[in-house]
Amino acid sequence: GDSVTQMEGPVTLSEEAFLTINCTYTATGYPSLFWYVQYPGEGLQLLLKATKADDKGSNKGFEATYRKETTSFHLEKGSVQVSDSAVYFCALSDRNQGAQKLVFGQGTRLTINP
Amino acid sequence: NAGVTQTPKFQVLKTGQSMTLQCAQDMNHNSMYWYRQDPGMGLRLIYYSASEGTTDKGEVPNGYNVSRLNKREFSLRLESAAPSQTSVYFCASSRTGGSGQPQHFGDGTRLSIL
């Protein structure tokens, strides 16, 4: 079945550092790819998405490019802030289904120190 | 701007007790979902409803039942709670169809089974 693998955390960085969180996937079809973010005590929020190969999703300074050849969707940000501290989830959904069932990676906890 | 509302936020049960988790969305979405979140495992789909009147099993349905009461409401029932069902439960909703429809999540129900 479909699966998503994320780099293990936790990840701790200093403010203004460069961030990369790796995500690779296995899927039989042509999935859509997502990054969700979860702040403490809250539900997940969509951060960005890409629906086809070579698409780049971006939001709030975060970017990720859908790489079909390497089955990857790595999350990057050039200069992180303390407010970026959260848990980040990579996910995929099978675009051929009416209901967008999501398959999640295990999550990566990010802590940014001032 | 309620979005997806889950009740209750916290609950403690004894083994063998039953309970229903409530979820309602006000975004006129066709599809609704129930996930559980466990440490190190991301979110796993329990049940989903592609549209009013339909429900289907997800990855981990054993021990749970669901009811799509109407377009707005989707409840999750534990008939005989077990300690293995201690988890954080999230309800989500989305539009149906097309690729890359994002899901909107509630803030979760933290459930402890003693």
Side-chain angles (χ1 to χ4, degrees), chain A residues 32 34 36 38 41-46 49-51 87 89 93-95 97-107, chain B residues 31 33 35 37 40-45 48-50 57 90 94-107:
Chain A
S32 294
F34 304 84
Y36 282 84
Q38 184 180 33
E42 298 183 9
L44 279 70
Q45 304 173 23
L46 178 68
K49 69 176 186 180
T51 58
V87 181
F89 292 93
S93 73
D94 186 339
R95 65 193 298 177
Q97 298 188 2
Q100 299 287 308
K101 296 188 295 180
L102 289 172
V103 175
F104 286 91
Q106 71 269 38
Chain B
S31 299
Y33 314 81
Y35 295 89
Q37 183 180 25
M41 301 186 72
L43 278 74
R44 292 179 293 168
L45 183 65
Y48 67 100
S49 171
K57 296 178 180 179
F90 287 98
S94 73
R95 296 175 188 267
T96 301
S99 61
Q101 295 290 347
Q103 292 185 15
H104 300 259
F105 286 81
D107 287 341

Side-chain angles (χ1 to χ4, degrees), chain B residues 4-54:
Chain B
V4 178
T5 302
Q6 292 184 235
T7 55
K9 294 190 183 303
F10 302 94
Q11 186 70 47
V12 178
L13 295 177
K14 294 181 179 178
T15 298
Q17 288 185 313
S18 62
M19 166 154 198
T20 300
L21 279 60
Q22 307 287 352
C23 175
Q25 53 93 8
D26 63 1
M27 295 172 283
N28 201 35
H29 287 163
N30 286 323
S31 299
M32 298 185 72
Y33 314 81
W34 276 104
Y35 295 89
R36 60 177 290 171
Q37 183 180 25
D38 300 297
M41 301 186 72
L43 278 74
R44 292 179 293 168
L45 183 65
I46 304 171
Y47 272 93
Y48 67 100
S49 171
S51 61
E52 187 178 356
T54 68

Side-chain angles (χ1 to χ4, degrees), chain A residues 3-7 22-26 35 74 90 104-106:
Chain A
S3 65
V4 175
T5 302
Q6 288 180 236
M7 68 183 286
N22 290 337
C23 172
T24 57
Y25 68 90
T26 302
W35 278 101
H74 305 320
C90 186
F104 286 91
Q106 71 269 38

Side-chain angles (χ1 to χ4, degrees), chain B residues 81-96:
Chain B
S84 61
Q85 295 177 304
T86 293
S87 188
V88 182
Y89 291 84
F90 287 98
C91 178
S93 69
S94 73
R95 296 175 188 267
T96 301

Side-chain angles (χ1 to χ4, degrees), chain A residues 66-112:
Chain A
Y66 190 142
R67 301 288 189 198
K68 188 169 180 289
E69 64 276 12
T70 55
T71 61
S72 65
F73 193 55
H74 305 320
L75 183 68
E76 297 182 336
K77 186 174 185 181
S79 177
V80 292
Q81 306 300 313
V82 172
S83 57
D84 295 326
S85 298
V87 181
Y88 292 81
F89 292 93
C90 186
L92 65 81
S93 73
D94 186 339
R95 65 193 298 177
N96 291 322
Q97 298 188 2
Q100 299 287 308
K101 296 188 295 180
L102 289 172
V103 175
F104 286 91
Q106 71 269 38
T108 302
R109 183 176 298 277
L110 174 66
T111 301
I112 308 299

Side-chain angles (χ1 to χ4, degrees), chain A residues 3-20:
Chain A
S3 65
V4 175
T5 302
Q6 288 180 236
M7 68 183 286
E8 289 192 22
V11 174
T12 303
L13 296 172
S14 298
E15 204 166 22
E16 298 184 3
F18 183 85
L19 169 71
T20 299

